[in-house]
Amino acid sequence: MKKISLLLAVAMVWMALASACTPVTPGASSSQAASGAASDIPTVAREKTLIFENIEGRVSEPGNQNPYSNSQYLDWGLWQANQESLFYYNYETKEIMPWQASGYSYNEDFTELTINLRDGVKWQDGEAFTADDVIFTINMLKENPELRYSSDMNEWVASVEKVDDLTVKFVLTGPKPSFLNDYFVNEVWDTVPIAPEHIWSQVEDVVNFKNYDLEKGLPMGTGPYKLVRSTETEQVYDRCETWWGAEIGFEDMPEPERCIWVTCTSEEVRAAKMVNNELDSSWTMSVSTFETAKAKNPNIFAWTDELPYGYLDACPSSIAFNNAKAPFDDPEIKWAIAYAVNQQEVVDIAAEGGSEVALTMYPTYQSLKEWLDSNQDLLDKYNVATYDLDKVNEIMTGKGYTKDSEGFWTDPQGNRLNINLIYRSGESLNVKEAPIIEQQLRAAGFYATSQALESAVFYTKTYTGDFDMCFGGALGSVSDPYATMDFFHSKYYKPIGETSDARFYRWVNKDFDAYVDIMAATAPDDPKFQEAARGALELWLEGLPCLPLMQQMFIVPFNSTYWTNWPTSENNYTSPTSWWYNCNLLIHNVHAAAA
């Protein structure tokens, strides 16, 4: 049956590619070809335009460019082209790369961090990037709890002090060896961006500030690209005439004259656009879709040339429980749901076998795999990948549930246990996983439904606790287990109805918190850290605030028709995740194919 389904899926992709691809003259130099719009912005030739897919899909608030707003993830251009990070991290090479900064140092007990800023960094209006900008940003975040990163800065920063124009000292509230990596190194996905003081200090309401006025140069970054158009389906950034990095000889000016992030409506549409050379980099594809597209256009390739083609993402696919909502606040109910989910079947169908079951929320990068291997006895004791319907029946009947006439679990009062699983419509893997899990839960007696939502709606629901279960990860650890554990600390707990951030699990376990607090204050190579990490892992597995599903092997296709030197496993100068802050490095490294 699975083979038939797979063949049908491949056939549908072929038909989509055949019908959606209309000829475009290579190198066409019209604004229509380059930007998908008419004449209100200058024409840029296609061969000078770098086009990415916006993985979020339709942008519901294209006029909100506030990087500190909890309602926006600005991974559709602002992070990658306009803003820059103090440091970047390559977890292929384990290298911390200074960018806006030139270096850093901790004191002996990790209670103070000094960051040295790079001389010559400028904002796009020519103003110098200095310690005053850093200090202003941190204090602004501390003073406005509604802003993203505010709770973190209040928790860890006692004060931030100016040593001189290019030197900033953070005095921390306690030892925090990972402070730099957690907030200023773009270690995973995002980073704390620095705001231009000379602009933001004039804003009366920074929480509701849109940071969007193209005539005034907003949004203002230190990056080499300025925003020139923002719509629900397209974000266009044009290269600045000058950029500080080229002026001081730090880096060459990037080659693309224009960078565009466009919306695609489905995996078939993105594949068709890749085949037709209308995209240079897309969101993920399944194995069969990728192979079909590559057969149509040999310039399409991915991280590896052979199966599974993909790049191991830092965030395993998982289902988050609303741990503040009954009955998902009951570990036994969550384990019953876990026993009802056949993770291997999800891998076989949704990922077409191109991945592996995940037993925790950690990617199996080498250092993390070594730690997980050292705790294999716990993973065996609490095996989240155990599929056992007898266990489901045992737990549910033991909790007083019975099945109604349609075979669904009802509580002693006769109320069905309804489960609605929500997910982002732009997440290709979740789109495939959701119906599988829905049917598995139904087969186990849970009345389950699944619902695709646009990103803005999804984030509003998860952050306010308006959900039962959702697809959601913990983008934290890439080298040691602390950052991911911290995602589940109860300090981030918000009552249902109050807005949280990406740490929306609402799980409370004070013993777990105590272990995580030890990890936060201790270097990873300290035996006390390892002991606390093991203790936290066992409590996490017992309480199961989140159900791991599979490691995510993202097939991120690139197209070499117009641009070359994309990151691959053989050329791993950065990860292929074009929706992260590190895409800045990718843009700086691609070269025009015509050259």
Side-chain angles (χ1 to χ4, degrees):
M1 192 67 170
K2 291 179 187 176
K3 290 183 179 179
I4 294 174
S5 299
L6 184 56
L7 288 171
L8 180 60
V10 172
M12 290 176 66
V13 171
W14 275 102
M15 288 189 290
L17 297 185
S19 62
C21 294
T22 55
V24 170
T25 304
S29 58
S30 70
S31 58
Q32 181 70 22
S35 68
S39 58
D40 58 325
I41 57 176
T43 295
V44 175
R46 174 65 179 95
E47 63 269 19
K48 297 180 180 181
T49 303
L50 184 61
I51 306 179
F52 298 94
E53 180 182 355
N54 168 17
I55 73 166
E56 301 288 347
R58 187 182 72 88
V59 176
S60 60
E61 292 186 84
N64 185 354
Q65 302 285 332
N66 186 333
Y68 311 105
S69 171
N70 272 315
S71 66
Q72 290 282 59
Y73 277 119
L74 296 171
D75 51 355
W76 21 275
L78 189 82
W79 285 1
Q80 303 97 314
N82 180 268
Q83 307 284 297
E84 295 179 307
S85 182
L86 287 169
F87 300 85
Y88 290 95
Y89 182 76
N90 185 331
Y91 49 88
E92 287 293 304
T93 64
K94 311 302 180 190
E95 177 188 8
I96 291 178
M97 304 170 58
W99 199 267
Q100 290 174 323
S102 60
Y104 70 95
S105 61
Y106 283 100
N107 65 349
E108 188 172 346
D109 64 357
F110 297 101
T111 58
E112 293 182 359
L113 168 68
T114 299
I115 295 179
N116 307 107
L117 304 180
R118 190 177 300 279
D119 191 8
V121 179
K122 294 179 182 178
W123 296 102
Q124 290 167 338
D125 61 0
E127 289 283 333
F129 176 90
T130 71
D132 293 326
D133 296 307
V134 178
I135 293 168
F136 169 80
T137 300
I138 302 307
N139 288 331
M140 176 185 72
L141 295 176
K142 287 169 65 69
E143 293 165 6
N144 292 276
E146 301 92 339
L147 295 179
R148 184 179 290 141
Y149 317 110
S150 177
S151 62
D152 300 79
M153 295 302 103
N154 277 305
E155 179 182 5
W156 291 111
V157 180
S159 64
V160 56
E161 304 168 1
K162 179 178 179 178
V163 178
D164 56 45
D165 281 348
L166 297 177
T167 310
V168 180
K169 183 170 77 171
F170 288 82
V171 179
L172 306 180
T173 56
K176 176 71 167 171
S178 65
F179 180 76
L180 181 88
N181 290 48
D182 287 348
Y183 302 114
F184 300 114
V185 179
N186 174 228
E187 189 175 56
V188 177
W189 195 28
D190 67 345
T191 188
V192 177
I194 304 304
E197 182 195 22
H198 64 286
I199 293 174
W200 283 69
S201 63
Q202 306 303 310
V203 176
E204 293 184 5
D205 181 3
V206 295
V207 173
N208 295 303
F209 178 46
K210 300 301 184 183
N211 191 34
Y212 180 70
D213 188 328
L214 301 185
E215 291 184 1
K216 294 182 179 179
L218 300 182
M220 176 75 67
T222 62
Y225 293 89
K226 291 286 294 180
L227 181 65
V228 297
R229 172 183 288 144
S230 181
T231 73
E232 291 185 349
T233 58
E234 179 187 69
Q235 315 296 313
V236 183
Y237 286 82
D238 281 355
R239 194 175 64 189
C240 301
E241 293 182 4
T242 60
W243 171 62
W244 67 266
E247 288 181 339
I248 69 173
F250 171 64
E251 287 278 339
D252 291 337
M253 185 74 83
E255 292 184 26
E257 293 182 10
R258 172 169 289 170
C259 294
I260 303 178
W261 279 260
V262 298
T263 296
C264 295
T265 55
S266 68
E267 181 171 317
E268 291 75 24
V269 170
R270 75 173 57 100
K273 286 182 176 290
M274 288 291 286
V275 168
N276 205 33
N277 300 322
E278 296 173 31
L279 277 178
D280 299 307
S281 173
S282 82
W283 184 216
T284 63
M285 293 182 190
S286 64
V287 172
S288 57
T289 301
F290 172 73
E291 290 179 337
T292 301
K294 184 173 176 59
K296 297 280 285 185
N297 185 339
N299 287 337
I300 295 173
F301 62 100
W303 183 251
T304 62
D305 292 331
E306 300 177 347
L307 283 169
Y309 305 119
Y311 176 84
L312 180 58
D313 190 66
C315 183
S317 175
S318 63
I319 294 175
F321 296 105
N322 187 342
N323 294 280
K325 179 179 181 180
F328 310 105
D329 56 349
D330 184 339
E332 290 185 86
I333 297 294
K334 288 182 286 185
W335 267 101
I337 292 171
Y339 287 128
V341 174
N342 186 337
Q343 281 99 324
Q344 188 59 56
E345 184 176 58
V346 177
V347 171
D348 292 341
I349 299 175
E352 299 176 20
S355 186
E356 60 183 20
V357 169
L359 299 179
T360 69
M361 292 295 293
Y362 291 98
T364 50
Y365 297 149
Q366 187 58 38
S367 58
L368 288 170
K369 186 177 185 304
E370 291 172 358
W371 175 72
L372 292 170
D373 288 345
S374 71
N375 290 284
Q376 187 62 48
D377 59 321
L378 294 181
L379 303 183
D380 293 337
K381 180 180 178 181
Y382 305 95
N383 189 341
V384 300
T386 301
Y387 174 61
D388 191 334
L389 296 184
D390 289 336
K391 284 280 190 182
V392 177
N393 293 333
E394 178 184 333
I395 293 173
M396 296 305 291
T397 55
K399 303 292 291 185
Y401 284 81
T402 57
K403 287 186 177 179
D404 63 18
S405 59
E406 295 183 66
F408 294 112
W409 293 112
T410 59
D411 65 19
Q413 288 73 45
N415 302 309
R416 269 187 183 175
L417 200 174
N418 297 322
I419 299 175
N420 185 34
L421 173 63
I422 64 173
Y423 57 98
R424 288 195 299 137
S425 57
E427 286 282 1
S428 300
L429 182 61
N430 296 165
V431 170
K432 297 172 184 176
E433 291 172 303
I436 301 168
I437 292 167
E438 177 184 323
Q439 290 305 312
Q440 289 178 349
L441 292 176
R442 282 176 168 264
F446 297 100
Y447 186 77
T449 56
S450 57
Q451 184 180 16
L453 302 171
E454 288 192 340
S455 292
V457 179
F458 175 85
Y459 291 130
T460 297
K461 282 185 170 291
T462 54
Y463 288 3
T464 59
D466 182 19
F467 72 101
D468 300 327
M469 301 188 331
C470 71
F471 283 102
L475 275 166
S477 297
V478 295
S479 57
D480 69 72
Y482 164 70
T484 293
M485 289 296 187
D486 184 62
F487 255 74
F488 299 92
H489 197 292
S490 68
K491 65 192 175 187
Y492 303 120
Y493 173 86
K494 297 285 187 182
I496 291 176
E498 292 187 17
T499 303
S500 69
D501 56 18
R503 296 160 295 195
F504 55 78
Y505 296 93
R506 291 174 166 83
W507 186 53
V508 178
N509 185 311
K510 295 301 182 183
D511 292 332
F512 173 86
D513 294 348
Y515 283 128
V516 176
D517 290 341
I518 293 172
M519 296 170 69
T522 312
D525 58 356
D526 190 312
K528 289 191 299 183
F529 180 97
Q530 297 298 323
E531 182 181 349
R534 178 179 171 84
L537 177 62
E538 180 160 23
L539 290 177
W540 191 96
L541 290 166
E542 283 181 357
L544 206 65
C546 195
L547 176 61
L549 294 174
M550 73 171 86
Q551 297 292 335
Q552 294 202 85
M553 298 296 294
F554 276 156
I555 300 176
V556 183
F558 295 123
N559 187 330
S560 62
T561 300
Y562 295 109
W563 301 99
T564 64
N565 198 42
W566 297 95
T568 66
S569 61
E570 301 298 321
N571 185 30
N572 60 346
Y573 60 84
T574 189
S575 70
T577 47
S578 60
W579 51 97
W580 290 8
Y581 250 97
N582 70 289
C583 181
N584 179 305
L585 305 179
L586 186 157
I587 294 171
H588 273 277
N589 278 275
V590 296
H591 302 306

